[in-house]
PDB file of all heavy atoms in Angstrom:
ATOM      1  N   THR A1434     104.087 124.519 114.922  1.00  0.00           N
ATOM      2  CA  THR A1434     103.869 123.876 113.687  1.00  0.00           C
ATOM      3  C   THR A1434     103.775 122.300 113.882  1.00  0.00           C
ATOM      4  O   THR A1434     102.811 121.692 113.333  1.00  0.00           O
ATOM      5  CB  THR A1434     105.026 124.035 112.679  1.00  0.00           C
ATOM      6  OG1 THR A1434     105.045 125.519 112.410  1.00  0.00           O
ATOM      7  CG2 THR A1434     104.828 123.471 111.402  1.00  0.00           C
ATOM      8  N   ILE A1435     104.643 121.880 114.607  1.00  0.00           N
ATOM      9  CA  ILE A1435     104.488 120.378 114.970  1.00  0.00           C
ATOM     10  C   ILE A1435     103.191 120.020 115.700  1.00  0.00           C
ATOM     11  O   ILE A1435     102.481 119.040 115.339  1.00  0.00           O
ATOM     12  CB  ILE A1435     105.620 119.963 115.915  1.00  0.00           C
ATOM     13  CG1 ILE A1435     107.058 120.011 115.191  1.00  0.00           C
ATOM     14  CG2 ILE A1435     105.494 118.520 116.409  1.00  0.00           C
ATOM     15  CD1 ILE A1435     108.207 119.704 116.157  1.00  0.00           C
ATOM     16  N   HIS A1436     102.758 120.878 116.596  1.00  0.00           N
ATOM     17  CA  HIS A1436     101.495 120.842 117.290  1.00  0.00           C
ATOM     18  C   HIS A1436     100.299 120.808 116.304  1.00  0.00           C
ATOM     19  O   HIS A1436      99.339 120.095 116.545  1.00  0.00           O
ATOM     20  CB  HIS A1436     101.470 122.026 118.304  1.00  0.00           C
ATOM     21  CG  HIS A1436     100.130 122.159 119.058  1.00  0.00           C
ATOM     22  ND1 HIS A1436     100.183 122.585 120.329  1.00  0.00           N
ATOM     23  CD2 HIS A1436      98.930 121.849 118.836  1.00  0.00           C
ATOM     24  CE1 HIS A1436      98.958 122.535 120.813  1.00  0.00           C
ATOM     25  NE2 HIS A1436      98.165 122.065 119.810  1.00  0.00           N
ATOM     26  N   ASN A1437     100.372 121.690 115.293  1.00  0.00           N
ATOM     27  CA  ASN A1437      99.305 121.795 114.429  1.00  0.00           C
ATOM     28  C   ASN A1437      99.160 120.827 113.349  1.00  0.00           C
ATOM     29  O   ASN A1437      98.053 120.613 112.750  1.00  0.00           O
ATOM     30  CB  ASN A1437      99.362 123.185 113.780  1.00  0.00           C
ATOM     31  CG  ASN A1437      98.949 124.341 114.735  1.00  0.00           C
ATOM     32  OD1 ASN A1437      98.264 124.101 115.700  1.00  0.00           O
ATOM     33  ND2 ASN A1437      99.484 125.502 114.474  1.00  0.00           N
ATOM     34  N   ILE A1438     100.161 120.055 113.065  1.00  0.00           N
ATOM     35  CA  ILE A1438     100.083 119.029 112.010  1.00  0.00           C
ATOM     36  C   ILE A1438      99.015 117.932 112.341  1.00  0.00           C
ATOM     37  O   ILE A1438      98.122 117.692 111.362  1.00  0.00           O
ATOM     38  CB  ILE A1438     101.444 118.315 111.887  1.00  0.00           C
ATOM     39  CG1 ILE A1438     102.457 119.366 111.144  1.00  0.00           C
ATOM     40  CG2 ILE A1438     101.284 117.046 111.019  1.00  0.00           C
ATOM     41  CD1 ILE A1438     103.807 118.807 111.065  1.00  0.00           C
ATOM     42  N   PRO A1439      98.909 117.365 113.432  1.00  0.00           N
ATOM     43  CA  PRO A1439      97.828 116.385 113.662  1.00  0.00           C
ATOM     44  C   PRO A1439      96.439 117.043 113.657  1.00  0.00           C
ATOM     45  O   PRO A1439      95.525 116.294 113.300  1.00  0.00           O
ATOM     46  CB  PRO A1439      98.159 115.822 115.101  1.00  0.00           C
ATOM     47  CG  PRO A1439      99.043 116.789 115.781  1.00  0.00           C
ATOM     48  CD  PRO A1439      99.813 117.470 114.560  1.00  0.00           C
ATOM     49  N   GLU A1440      96.313 118.308 114.004  1.00  0.00           N
ATOM     50  CA  GLU A1440      94.996 118.951 113.860  1.00  0.00           C
ATOM     51  C   GLU A1440      94.469 119.105 112.462  1.00  0.00           C
ATOM     52  O   GLU A1440      93.413 118.802 112.136  1.00  0.00           O
ATOM     53  CB  GLU A1440      95.081 120.332 114.589  1.00  0.00           C
ATOM     54  CG  GLU A1440      95.308 120.211 116.019  1.00  0.00           C
ATOM     55  CD  GLU A1440      95.539 121.571 116.646  1.00  0.00           C
ATOM     56  OE1 GLU A1440      95.117 122.677 115.969  1.00  0.00           O
ATOM     57  OE2 GLU A1440      96.075 121.690 117.724  1.00  0.00           O
ATOM     58  N   GLY A1441      95.400 119.459 111.559  1.00  0.00           N
ATOM     59  CA  GLY A1441      95.109 119.521 110.152  1.00  0.00           C
ATOM     60  C   GLY A1441      94.750 118.140 109.641  1.00  0.00           C
ATOM     61  O   GLY A1441      93.834 117.994 108.799  1.00  0.00           O
ATOM     62  N   MET A1442      95.578 117.148 110.015  1.00  0.00           N
ATOM     63  CA  MET A1442      95.351 115.714 109.475  1.00  0.00           C
ATOM     64  C   MET A1442      93.994 115.323 110.023  1.00  0.00           C
ATOM     65  O   MET A1442      93.253 114.605 109.224  1.00  0.00           O
ATOM     66  CB  MET A1442      96.448 114.834 110.111  1.00  0.00           C
ATOM     67  CG  MET A1442      97.885 115.097 109.494  1.00  0.00           C
ATOM     68  SD  MET A1442      99.097 113.971 110.224  1.00  0.00           S
ATOM     69  CE  MET A1442      98.429 112.439 109.798  1.00  0.00           C
ATOM     70  N   ALA A1443      93.592 115.625 111.225  1.00  0.00           N
ATOM     71  CA  ALA A1443      92.277 115.162 111.707  1.00  0.00           C
ATOM     72  C   ALA A1443      91.226 115.721 110.888  1.00  0.00           C
ATOM     73  O   ALA A1443      90.172 115.052 110.714  1.00  0.00           O
ATOM     74  CB  ALA A1443      92.193 115.660 113.227  1.00  0.00           C
ATOM     75  N   ILE A1444      91.280 116.978 110.589  1.00  0.00           N
ATOM     76  CA  ILE A1444      90.230 117.592 109.694  1.00  0.00           C
ATOM     77  C   ILE A1444      90.121 116.831 108.326  1.00  0.00           C
ATOM     78  O   ILE A1444      89.110 116.510 107.840  1.00  0.00           O
ATOM     79  CB  ILE A1444      90.492 119.139 109.440  1.00  0.00           C
ATOM     80  CG1 ILE A1444      90.314 119.863 110.867  1.00  0.00           C
ATOM     81  CG2 ILE A1444      89.643 119.673 108.356  1.00  0.00           C
ATOM     82  CD1 ILE A1444      90.776 121.264 110.782  1.00  0.00           C
ATOM     83  N   GLY A1445      91.358 116.588 107.781  1.00  0.00           N
ATOM     84  CA  GLY A1445      91.382 115.902 106.461  1.00  0.00           C
ATOM     85  C   GLY A1445      90.711 114.510 106.521  1.00  0.00           C
ATOM     86  O   GLY A1445      90.014 114.120 105.644  1.00  0.00           O
ATOM     87  N   VAL A1446      91.148 113.750 107.612  1.00  0.00           N
ATOM     88  CA  VAL A1446      90.620 112.452 107.764  1.00  0.00           C
ATOM     89  C   VAL A1446      89.067 112.491 107.986  1.00  0.00           C
ATOM     90  O   VAL A1446      88.339 111.649 107.500  1.00  0.00           O
ATOM     91  CB  VAL A1446      91.292 111.693 108.930  1.00  0.00           C
ATOM     92  CG1 VAL A1446      90.664 110.402 109.187  1.00  0.00           C
ATOM     93  CG2 VAL A1446      92.787 111.457 108.603  1.00  0.00           C
ATOM     94  N   ALA A1447      88.610 113.503 108.798  1.00  0.00           N
ATOM     95  CA  ALA A1447      87.158 113.583 108.939  1.00  0.00           C
ATOM     96  C   ALA A1447      86.448 113.892 107.612  1.00  0.00           C
ATOM     97  O   ALA A1447      85.287 113.373 107.452  1.00  0.00           O
ATOM     98  CB  ALA A1447      86.856 114.787 109.977  1.00  0.00           C
ATOM     99  N   VAL A1448      86.972 114.723 106.838  1.00  0.00           N
ATOM    100  CA  VAL A1448      86.436 115.044 105.552  1.00  0.00           C
ATOM    101  C   VAL A1448      86.351 113.766 104.666  1.00  0.00           C
ATOM    102  O   VAL A1448      85.293 113.420 104.029  1.00  0.00           O
ATOM    103  CB  VAL A1448      87.172 116.106 104.784  1.00  0.00           C
ATOM    104  CG1 VAL A1448      86.710 116.281 103.297  1.00  0.00           C
ATOM    105  CG2 VAL A1448      87.026 117.478 105.489  1.00  0.00           C
ATOM    106  N   ALA A1449      87.414 112.979 104.660  1.00  0.00           N
ATOM    107  CA  ALA A1449      87.480 111.766 103.930  1.00  0.00           C
ATOM    108  C   ALA A1449      86.523 110.757 104.420  1.00  0.00           C
ATOM    109  O   ALA A1449      85.747 110.104 103.637  1.00  0.00           O
ATOM    110  CB  ALA A1449      88.841 111.145 103.942  1.00  0.00           C
ATOM    111  N   SER A1450      86.316 110.648 105.782  1.00  0.00           N
ATOM    112  CA  SER A1450      85.297 109.774 106.388  1.00  0.00           C
ATOM    113  C   SER A1450      83.943 110.166 105.891  1.00  0.00           C
ATOM    114  O   SER A1450      83.085 109.347 105.672  1.00  0.00           O
ATOM    115  CB  SER A1450      85.472 109.842 107.898  1.00  0.00           C
ATOM    116  OG  SER A1450      84.535 109.039 108.469  1.00  0.00           O
ATOM    117  N   ALA A1451      83.616 111.469 105.962  1.00  0.00           N
ATOM    118  CA  ALA A1451      82.308 111.897 105.541  1.00  0.00           C
ATOM    119  C   ALA A1451      82.012 111.561 104.135  1.00  0.00           C
ATOM    120  O   ALA A1451      80.907 111.266 103.746  1.00  0.00           O
ATOM    121  CB  ALA A1451      82.181 113.482 105.911  1.00  0.00           C
ATOM    122  N   SER A1452      83.020 111.700 103.245  1.00  0.00           N
ATOM    123  CA  SER A1452      82.792 111.514 101.835  1.00  0.00           C
ATOM    124  C   SER A1452      82.487 110.019 101.587  1.00  0.00           C
ATOM    125  O   SER A1452      81.993 109.639 100.551  1.00  0.00           O
ATOM    126  CB  SER A1452      84.057 111.967 101.097  1.00  0.00           C
ATOM    127  OG  SER A1452      85.169 111.122 101.275  1.00  0.00           O
ATOM    128  N   MET A1453      83.026 109.170 102.430  1.00  0.00           N
ATOM    129  CA  MET A1453      82.868 107.718 102.209  1.00  0.00           C
ATOM    130  C   MET A1453      81.614 107.215 103.031  1.00  0.00           C
ATOM    131  O   MET A1453      81.354 105.924 103.084  1.00  0.00           O
ATOM    132  CB  MET A1453      84.080 107.002 102.726  1.00  0.00           C
ATOM    133  CG  MET A1453      85.201 107.311 101.930  1.00  0.00           C
ATOM    134  SD  MET A1453      86.815 106.667 102.754  1.00  0.00           S
ATOM    135  CE  MET A1453      88.030 107.678 102.041  1.00  0.00           C
ATOM    136  N   GLY A1454      80.875 108.077 103.521  1.00  0.00           N
ATOM    137  CA  GLY A1454      79.549 107.680 104.227  1.00  0.00           C
ATOM    138  C   GLY A1454      79.779 107.178 105.605  1.00  0.00           C
ATOM    139  O   GLY A1454      78.827 106.524 106.211  1.00  0.00           O
ATOM    140  N   ASN A1455      80.980 107.299 106.181  1.00  0.00           N
ATOM    141  CA  ASN A1455      81.195 106.708 107.475  1.00  0.00           C
ATOM    142  C   ASN A1455      80.826 107.754 108.644  1.00  0.00           C
ATOM    143  O   ASN A1455      80.898 107.405 109.743  1.00  0.00           O
ATOM    144  CB  ASN A1455      82.687 106.339 107.625  1.00  0.00           C
ATOM    145  CG  ASN A1455      82.963 105.158 106.840  1.00  0.00           C
ATOM    146  OD1 ASN A1455      82.544 104.022 107.108  1.00  0.00           O
ATOM    147  ND2 ASN A1455      83.763 105.365 105.770  1.00  0.00           N
ATOM    148  N   SER A1456      80.621 108.995 108.259  1.00  0.00           N
ATOM    149  CA  SER A1456      80.230 109.961 109.305  1.00  0.00           C
ATOM    150  C   SER A1456      79.495 111.118 108.620  1.00  0.00           C
ATOM    151  O   SER A1456      79.461 111.111 107.355  1.00  0.00           O
ATOM    152  CB  SER A1456      81.433 110.507 110.077  1.00  0.00           C
ATOM    153  OG  SER A1456      82.297 111.248 109.164  1.00  0.00           O
ATOM    154  N   LEU A1457      78.844 111.951 109.402  1.00  0.00           N
ATOM    155  CA  LEU A1457      78.171 113.146 108.852  1.00  0.00           C
ATOM    156  C   LEU A1457      78.970 114.275 108.527  1.00  0.00           C
ATOM    157  O   LEU A1457      80.089 114.462 109.202  1.00  0.00           O
ATOM    158  CB  LEU A1457      77.047 113.519 109.882  1.00  0.00           C
ATOM    159  CG  LEU A1457      75.960 112.456 110.188  1.00  0.00           C
ATOM    160  CD1 LEU A1457      75.163 112.970 111.289  1.00  0.00           C
ATOM    161  CD2 LEU A1457      75.165 112.051 108.994  1.00  0.00           C
ATOM    162  N   ILE A1458      78.606 115.009 107.549  1.00  0.00           N
ATOM    163  CA  ILE A1458      79.425 116.240 107.239  1.00  0.00           C
ATOM    164  C   ILE A1458      79.361 117.217 108.465  1.00  0.00           C
ATOM    165  O   ILE A1458      80.297 117.886 108.729  1.00  0.00           O
ATOM    166  CB  ILE A1458      78.835 116.951 106.003  1.00  0.00           C
ATOM    167  CG1 ILE A1458      79.083 116.058 104.737  1.00  0.00           C
ATOM    168  CG2 ILE A1458      79.402 118.333 105.773  1.00  0.00           C
ATOM    169  CD1 ILE A1458      78.547 116.633 103.472  1.00  0.00           C
ATOM    170  N   SER A1459      78.205 117.082 109.237  1.00  0.00           N
ATOM    171  CA  SER A1459      78.130 118.045 110.381  1.00  0.00           C
ATOM    172  C   SER A1459      79.135 117.650 111.409  1.00  0.00           C
ATOM    173  O   SER A1459      79.576 118.521 112.094  1.00  0.00           O
ATOM    174  CB  SER A1459      76.689 117.852 110.998  1.00  0.00           C
ATOM    175  OG  SER A1459      76.476 116.539 111.404  1.00  0.00           O
ATOM    176  N   ALA A1460      79.556 116.388 111.423  1.00  0.00           N
ATOM    177  CA  ALA A1460      80.520 115.959 112.412  1.00  0.00           C
ATOM    178  C   ALA A1460      81.873 116.614 112.092  1.00  0.00           C
ATOM    179  O   ALA A1460      82.618 117.000 112.966  1.00  0.00           O
ATOM    180  CB  ALA A1460      80.688 114.475 112.419  1.00  0.00           C
ATOM    181  N   THR A1461      82.168 116.700 110.870  1.00  0.00           N
ATOM    182  CA  THR A1461      83.408 117.352 110.338  1.00  0.00           C
ATOM    183  C   THR A1461      83.328 118.886 110.689  1.00  0.00           C
ATOM    184  O   THR A1461      84.388 119.400 111.202  1.00  0.00           O
ATOM    185  CB  THR A1461      83.516 117.223 108.799  1.00  0.00           C
ATOM    186  OG1 THR A1461      83.533 115.897 108.476  1.00  0.00           O
ATOM    187  CG2 THR A1461      84.834 117.890 108.342  1.00  0.00           C
ATOM    188  N   ALA A1462      82.168 119.471 110.534  1.00  0.00           N
ATOM    189  CA  ALA A1462      82.043 120.869 110.846  1.00  0.00           C
ATOM    190  C   ALA A1462      82.315 121.119 112.390  1.00  0.00           C
ATOM    191  O   ALA A1462      82.888 122.081 112.808  1.00  0.00           O
ATOM    192  CB  ALA A1462      80.720 121.380 110.450  1.00  0.00           C
ATOM    193  N   VAL A1463      81.757 120.228 113.186  1.00  0.00           N
ATOM    194  CA  VAL A1463      81.884 120.307 114.640  1.00  0.00           C
ATOM    195  C   VAL A1463      83.374 120.166 115.067  1.00  0.00           C
ATOM    196  O   VAL A1463      83.873 120.940 115.901  1.00  0.00           O
ATOM    197  CB  VAL A1463      81.000 119.187 115.325  1.00  0.00           C
ATOM    198  CG1 VAL A1463      81.457 119.157 116.841  1.00  0.00           C
ATOM    199  CG2 VAL A1463      79.533 119.543 115.266  1.00  0.00           C
ATOM    200  N   LEU A1464      84.093 119.190 114.382  1.00  0.00           N
ATOM    201  CA  LEU A1464      85.542 119.014 114.625  1.00  0.00           C
ATOM    202  C   LEU A1464      86.200 120.379 114.308  1.00  0.00           C
ATOM    203  O   LEU A1464      87.113 120.788 115.092  1.00  0.00           O
ATOM    204  CB  LEU A1464      86.057 117.899 113.822  1.00  0.00           C
ATOM    205  CG  LEU A1464      87.545 117.637 113.981  1.00  0.00           C
ATOM    206  CD1 LEU A1464      87.929 117.296 115.479  1.00  0.00           C
ATOM    207  CD2 LEU A1464      88.040 116.545 113.014  1.00  0.00           C
ATOM    208  N   ALA A1465      85.936 120.885 113.156  1.00  0.00           N
ATOM    209  CA  ALA A1465      86.604 122.125 112.733  1.00  0.00           C
ATOM    210  C   ALA A1465      86.360 123.187 113.654  1.00  0.00           C
ATOM    211  O   ALA A1465      87.164 124.114 114.022  1.00  0.00           O
ATOM    212  CB  ALA A1465      86.173 122.517 111.306  1.00  0.00           C
ATOM    213  N   LEU A1466      85.083 123.345 114.127  1.00  0.00           N
ATOM    214  CA  LEU A1466      84.626 124.376 115.195  1.00  0.00           C
ATOM    215  C   LEU A1466      85.499 124.164 116.419  1.00  0.00           C
ATOM    216  O   LEU A1466      85.959 125.187 117.003  1.00  0.00           O
ATOM    217  CB  LEU A1466      83.169 124.256 115.364  1.00  0.00           C
ATOM    218  CG  LEU A1466      82.595 125.296 116.429  1.00  0.00           C
ATOM    219  CD1 LEU A1466      82.876 126.709 115.986  1.00  0.00           C
ATOM    220  CD2 LEU A1466      81.139 124.984 116.671  1.00  0.00           C
ATOM    221  N   GLY A1467      85.531 122.938 116.838  1.00  0.00           N
ATOM    222  CA  GLY A1467      86.269 122.718 118.139  1.00  0.00           C
ATOM    223  C   GLY A1467      87.752 123.019 118.041  1.00  0.00           C
ATOM    224  O   GLY A1467      88.328 123.734 118.935  1.00  0.00           O
ATOM    225  N   ILE A1468      88.362 122.668 116.996  1.00  0.00           N
ATOM    226  CA  ILE A1468      89.776 122.967 116.659  1.00  0.00           C
ATOM    227  C   ILE A1468      89.945 124.441 116.604  1.00  0.00           C
ATOM    228  O   ILE A1468      90.961 125.102 117.006  1.00  0.00           O
ATOM    229  CB  ILE A1468      90.357 122.217 115.586  1.00  0.00           C
ATOM    230  CG1 ILE A1468      90.409 120.625 115.840  1.00  0.00           C
ATOM    231  CG2 ILE A1468      91.679 122.719 115.082  1.00  0.00           C
ATOM    232  CD1 ILE A1468      90.898 119.849 114.647  1.00  0.00           C
ATOM    233  N   GLY A1469      89.011 125.053 115.823  1.00  0.00           N
ATOM    234  CA  GLY A1469      89.113 126.528 115.746  1.00  0.00           C
ATOM    235  C   GLY A1469      89.005 127.342 116.980  1.00  0.00           C
ATOM    236  O   GLY A1469      89.761 128.291 117.328  1.00  0.00           O
ATOM    237  N   LEU A1470      88.143 126.794 117.935  1.00  0.00           N
ATOM    238  CA  LEU A1470      87.966 127.446 119.245  1.00  0.00           C
ATOM    239  C   LEU A1470      89.246 127.363 120.033  1.00  0.00           C
ATOM    240  O   LEU A1470      89.739 128.252 120.724  1.00  0.00           O
ATOM    241  CB  LEU A1470      86.826 126.838 119.945  1.00  0.00           C
ATOM    242  CG  LEU A1470      85.388 127.169 119.425  1.00  0.00           C
ATOM    243  CD1 LEU A1470      84.337 126.335 120.207  1.00  0.00           C
ATOM    244  CD2 LEU A1470      85.145 128.683 119.659  1.00  0.00           C
ATOM    245  N   GLN A1471      89.927 126.146 120.028  1.00  0.00           N
ATOM    246  CA  GLN A1471      91.146 126.050 120.749  1.00  0.00           C
ATOM    247  C   GLN A1471      92.308 126.690 120.053  1.00  0.00           C
ATOM    248  O   GLN A1471      93.268 127.053 120.668  1.00  0.00           O
ATOM    249  CB  GLN A1471      91.428 124.510 120.977  1.00  0.00           C
ATOM    250  CG  GLN A1471      91.872 123.753 119.806  1.00  0.00           C
ATOM    251  CD  GLN A1471      93.380 123.673 119.684  1.00  0.00           C
ATOM    252  OE1 GLN A1471      94.021 123.778 120.589  1.00  0.00           O
ATOM    253  NE2 GLN A1471      93.882 123.307 118.453  1.00  0.00           N
ATOM    254  N   ASN A1472      92.074 127.095 118.714  1.00  0.00           N
ATOM    255  CA  ASN A1472      93.149 127.765 118.041  1.00  0.00           C
ATOM    256  C   ASN A1472      93.159 129.345 118.487  1.00  0.00           C
ATOM    257  O   ASN A1472      94.182 129.975 118.300  1.00  0.00           O
ATOM    258  CB  ASN A1472      93.091 127.716 116.539  1.00  0.00           C
ATOM    259  CG  ASN A1472      93.657 126.446 115.987  1.00  0.00           C
ATOM    260  OD1 ASN A1472      94.232 125.638 116.785  1.00  0.00           O
ATOM    261  ND2 ASN A1472      93.510 126.231 114.737  1.00  0.00           N
ATOM    262  N   LEU A1473      92.110 129.735 118.934  1.00  0.00           N
ATOM    263  CA  LEU A1473      91.991 131.219 119.476  1.00  0.00           C
ATOM    264  C   LEU A1473      93.020 131.429 120.558  1.00  0.00           C
ATOM    265  O   LEU A1473      93.864 132.306 120.482  1.00  0.00           O
ATOM    266  CB  LEU A1473      90.561 131.432 119.912  1.00  0.00           C
ATOM    267  CG  LEU A1473      89.566 131.591 118.843  1.00  0.00           C
ATOM    268  CD1 LEU A1473      88.136 131.744 119.420  1.00  0.00           C
ATOM    269  CD2 LEU A1473      89.792 132.767 117.904  1.00  0.00           C
ATOM    270  N   PRO A1474      92.930 130.674 121.693  1.00  0.00           N
ATOM    271  CA  PRO A1474      93.970 130.866 122.764  1.00  0.00           C
ATOM    272  C   PRO A1474      95.387 130.385 122.260  1.00  0.00           C
ATOM    273  O   PRO A1474      96.365 130.905 122.690  1.00  0.00           O
ATOM    274  CB  PRO A1474      93.474 130.115 123.928  1.00  0.00           C
ATOM    275  CG  PRO A1474      92.506 129.020 123.278  1.00  0.00           C
ATOM    276  CD  PRO A1474      91.873 129.729 122.119  1.00  0.00           C
ATOM    277  N   GLU A1475      95.396 129.416 121.339  1.00  0.00           N
ATOM    278  CA  GLU A1475      96.658 128.916 120.926  1.00  0.00           C
ATOM    279  C   GLU A1475      97.419 129.942 120.084  1.00  0.00           C
ATOM    280  O   GLU A1475      98.622 130.188 120.199  1.00  0.00           O
ATOM    281  CB  GLU A1475      96.452 127.653 120.015  1.00  0.00           C
ATOM    282  CG  GLU A1475      97.786 127.009 119.617  1.00  0.00           C
ATOM    283  CD  GLU A1475      97.496 125.699 118.879  1.00  0.00           C
ATOM    284  OE1 GLU A1475      97.298 124.667 119.515  1.00  0.00           O
ATOM    285  OE2 GLU A1475      97.516 125.729 117.667  1.00  0.00           O
ATOM    286  N   GLY A1476      96.639 130.755 119.261  1.00  0.00           N
ATOM    287  CA  GLY A1476      97.257 131.794 118.583  1.00  0.00           C
ATOM    288  C   GLY A1476      97.934 132.816 119.492  1.00  0.00           C
ATOM    289  O   GLY A1476      99.025 133.356 119.207  1.00  0.00           O
ATOM    290  N   ALA A1477      97.153 133.162 120.512  1.00  0.00           N
ATOM    291  CA  ALA A1477      97.762 134.098 121.495  1.00  0.00           C
ATOM    292  C   ALA A1477      98.950 133.541 122.201  1.00  0.00           C
ATOM    293  O   ALA A1477      99.836 134.260 122.548  1.00  0.00           O
ATOM    294  CB  ALA A1477      96.595 134.475 122.476  1.00  0.00           C
ATOM    295  N   ALA A1478      98.959 132.191 122.403  1.00  0.00           N
ATOM    296  CA  ALA A1478     100.103 131.569 123.143  1.00  0.00           C
ATOM    297  C   ALA A1478     101.308 131.624 122.278  1.00  0.00           C
ATOM    298  O   ALA A1478     102.388 131.371 122.832  1.00  0.00           O
ATOM    299  CB  ALA A1478      99.668 130.167 123.482  1.00  0.00           C
ATOM    300  N   VAL A1479     101.175 131.894 120.977  1.00  0.00           N
ATOM    301  CA  VAL A1479     102.354 132.042 120.167  1.00  0.00           C
ATOM    302  C   VAL A1479     102.826 133.516 119.993  1.00  0.00           C
ATOM    303  O   VAL A1479     103.932 133.864 120.211  1.00  0.00           O
ATOM    304  CB  VAL A1479     102.030 131.552 118.706  1.00  0.00           C
ATOM    305  CG1 VAL A1479     103.249 131.717 117.722  1.00  0.00           C
ATOM    306  CG2 VAL A1479     101.601 130.046 118.729  1.00  0.00           C
TER     307      VAL A1479
END
């Protein structure tokens, strides 16, 4: 749970950044995809 908190925060900050015109929505999607891919082995590691 401690490990996952910054990952969730990173997604939230990326969404906020996209909404303010500082980044693309696609960048948020890529970040979510990357975190999702690393969560596959992480789920198994739990």
Side-chain angles (χ1 to χ4, degrees):
T1434 299
I1435 293 172
H1436 177 149
N1437 286 335
I1438 288 174
E1440 296 174 18
M1442 291 177 61
I1444 292 172
V1446 174
V1448 172
S1450 179
S1452 71
M1453 298 170 197
N1455 292 291
S1456 65
L1457 299 174
I1458 292 178
S1459 61
T1461 304
V1463 168
L1464 176 62
L1466 177 59
I1468 292 176
L1470 288 174
Q1471 71 97 18
N1472 278 355
L1473 291 170
E1475 185 176 278
V1479 180

